Amino acid sequence: MTSPTLALRNDLVVAPSTSRMRGIANELKERGESVINFAAGELDFDTLDSLKKAAIEAIRGKCNTYTPALGEKKIRQQLAAHVSEQLGVAYAWNEVGMTAGAKQALYNAAMVLINPGDEVIIPIPYWVTFPTQIELAGGKPVLVDTRPEGYQLTAERVAAAITPQTRAILINTPNNPTGAVYDSEALRRIGELAIRHDLWIIFDECYSRLIRNGGEHHSIVTLMPELKERTVIVNSFSKSMALTGWRLGYVSAPEQVIKAMENLQGHTTSNPNVVAQVAVSRALDDSADFIATANAILDARLQVIHEALAGIEHLRVAPAMGAFYVFADIQWFIGRCYGDKPVRSTDELVELILAEAKVAVVSGAGFGDPSGIRISYAVSDADVATGMQRLREFFARFN
């Protein structure tokens, strides 16, 4: 006897390529293989001691019960003050909310903003989850290539993609997978387009505090406060405070959007982890030194990677100014042979890198750009050095 069929929406959902490669690398490590895991999307540092202490105190203090769907009001008040300080634009407690990671905040945004048939402009390369969430909401991703402008989203490209069906523009800066940080003037011009065409902006700035070599991240609402009423800002404690497993993201948006998200989240996950809420609220002011130290370490690692990749002929690297990723253009190698093995696609290339060099990277195909591979340097200094040496030896064998 056969079982009933699954819902048709499952055809829209495949496992994220980032999770797949991370899982394969971890399996090989468990078997005793010496694998360098450049597929990771999280800092290799431990989180703050004050956070861990606050979490333990929260547990001992019997923080075990439900909170409102988007978090405790007192913590949302504190979060609103934090967001207001970071952005230089005032947000009230009912204009912010907490979610089970930034991914839920983005899903909430898609579900409360997008109608079936609406178009959402998404730059390529994109984080793997963006198009899927838009499609699950019934929308249509409209993909805009950033490669011709050095992986920067421009107003000209956005303007060319706008149609009467356009509902929103999704912007991710610092960008995953490229590490690009978008230019402030370009963001202003995109903001002007959003006003002119009455569009929503979904602004993912989860890596806003992880900026390389003294650079600067620009939040679009900081640049243009008049955009506040049409912008959903998504952020996370996961990346900058090294607590990805705690699943705590947050969102800042107009009050009616936050209320709609609260209603939706009340029927999905309900509140995010209460222990994580309390711990972050008690340790939020301790994060600046931790993040400064993390950025200094990441800057040094990026320098090692740039020097190593510069020595690989025919390989080009996107300007990496934020987060902890490098996106390398490997088009020259596709269609050529590694020794006597032909490489027909980027997916085949990353499988070969793992098999031959014991280095896990992520194919750009999952990010909408099969011309590249993503390399994460959120791994130890030793792994960066070893992994880069292995990659140089690997690419030297092409003919």
Side-chain angles (χ1 to χ4, degrees):
M1 181 180 296
T2 60
S3 61
T5 59
L6 298 177
L8 293 177
R9 73 177 59 88
N10 286 282
D11 294 339
L12 303 173
V13 183
V14 296
S17 55
T18 49
S19 301
R20 177 177 174 274
M21 289 306 296
R22 184 172 65 244
I24 293 172
N26 289 335
E27 286 177 12
L28 290 173
K29 280 188 173 183
E30 289 172 4
R31 295 180 204 161
E33 302 255 16
S34 173
V35 175
I36 305 299
N37 188 4
F38 287 147
E42 57 188 347
L43 290 172
D44 60 308
F45 321 136
D46 195 7
T47 193
L48 292 77
D49 286 338
S50 58
L51 259 173
K52 293 187 284 186
K53 180 180 178 182
I56 292 168
E57 290 174 353
I59 293 168
R60 288 177 175 159
K62 300 180 181 179
C63 289
N64 307 314
T65 58
Y66 290 125
T67 72
L70 291 181
E72 288 281 10
K73 181 178 178 179
K74 288 193 301 183
I75 299 176
R76 288 170 68 183
Q77 288 171 331
Q78 181 190 6
L79 180 59
H82 171 76
V83 168
S84 299
E85 180 182 0
Q86 292 289 313
L87 299 182
V89 177
Y91 280 82
W93 75 271
N94 57 356
E95 294 176 309
V96 301
M98 289 174 282
T99 56
K103 190 174 288 189
Q104 184 176 29
L106 288 161
Y107 179 74
N108 287 352
M111 295 302 289
V112 305
L113 299 182
I114 307 305
N115 292 310
D118 284 347
E119 295 178 354
V120 179
I121 294 172
I122 300 175
I124 295 175
Y126 49 70
W127 182 49
V128 294
T129 296
F130 290 151
T132 298
Q133 291 188 337
I134 297 303
E135 289 172 339
L136 287 172
K140 177 186 175 184
V142 175
L143 306 179
V144 173
D145 194 355
T146 64
R147 290 173 297 180
E149 282 76 35
Y151 297 93
Q152 289 276 337
L153 186 66
T154 66
E156 289 78 10
R157 295 235 168 211
V158 171
I162 292 174
T163 75
Q165 286 72 47
T166 305
R167 176 75 166 169
I169 307 166
L170 198 158
I171 302 171
N172 173 213
T173 178
N175 182 264
N176 177 5
T178 66
V181 174
Y182 288 168
D183 176 75
S184 60
E185 185 56 32
L187 288 173
R188 284 192 183 94
R189 294 183 63 200
I190 293 168
E192 290 167 358
L193 285 173
I195 294 171
R196 191 178 313 144
H197 294 276
D198 194 22
L199 305 177
W200 287 102
I201 297 172
I202 302 171
F203 197 79
D204 178 348
E205 58 174 14
C206 286
Y207 296 92
S208 60
R209 302 185 74 185
L210 296 174
I211 301 296
R212 303 282 64 77
N213 298 303
E216 185 178 3
H217 162 71
H218 307 284
S219 182
I220 200 164
V221 169
T222 303
L223 296 172
M224 297 180 67
E226 62 269 34
L227 292 175
K228 178 185 174 184
E229 293 307 312
R230 64 176 64 252
T231 302
V232 175
I233 301 176
V234 175
N235 212 319
S236 172
F237 300 109
S238 296
K239 305 297 184 179
S240 59
M241 297 175 76
L243 40 78
T244 51
W246 291 33
R247 308 313 302 137
L248 193 63
Y250 59 99
V251 59
S252 310
E255 181 182 354
Q256 72 271 26
V257 175
I258 294 296
K259 183 59 181 176
M261 288 187 175
E262 185 172 35
N263 293 341
L264 174 67
Q265 194 160 305
H267 290 288
T268 54
T269 62
S270 192
N271 64 270
N273 185 301
V274 64
V275 173
Q277 287 184 48
V278 173
V280 166
S281 74
R282 293 179 185 173
L284 191 57
D285 294 337
D286 299 337
S287 62
D289 288 344
F290 176 86
I291 293 168
T293 300
N295 277 323
I297 293 170
L298 293 170
D299 286 349
R301 291 176 182 172
L302 180 59
Q303 181 64 30
V304 172
I305 286 179
H306 273 158
E307 290 174 359
L309 296 182
I312 300 176
E313 193 175 6
H314 306 299
L315 188 146
R316 302 291 178 266
V317 178
M321 298 172 285
F324 39 71
Y325 305 114
V326 166
F327 197 73
D329 185 331
I330 44 73
Q331 288 185 90
W332 185 89
F333 300 92
I334 306 305
R336 288 178 164 81
C337 289
Y338 174 84
D340 59 354
K341 298 177 182 176
V343 178
R344 293 176 291 265
S345 70
T346 309
D347 288 343
E348 283 190 9
L349 178 66
V350 300
E351 298 283 355
L352 192 61
I353 292 172
L354 185 55
E356 297 290 332
K358 295 297 185 289
V359 174
V361 298
V362 183
S363 168
F367 303 110
D369 181 3
S371 71
I373 58 173
R374 191 191 77 174
I375 300 169
S376 167
Y377 50 95
V379 296
S380 71
D381 294 354
D383 279 358
V384 168
T386 301
M388 285 297 105
Q389 181 60 34
R390 291 181 185 181
L391 285 180
R392 290 187 65 169
E393 293 171 356
F394 173 85
F395 283 108
R397 297 191 183 104
F398 269 84
N399 52 57

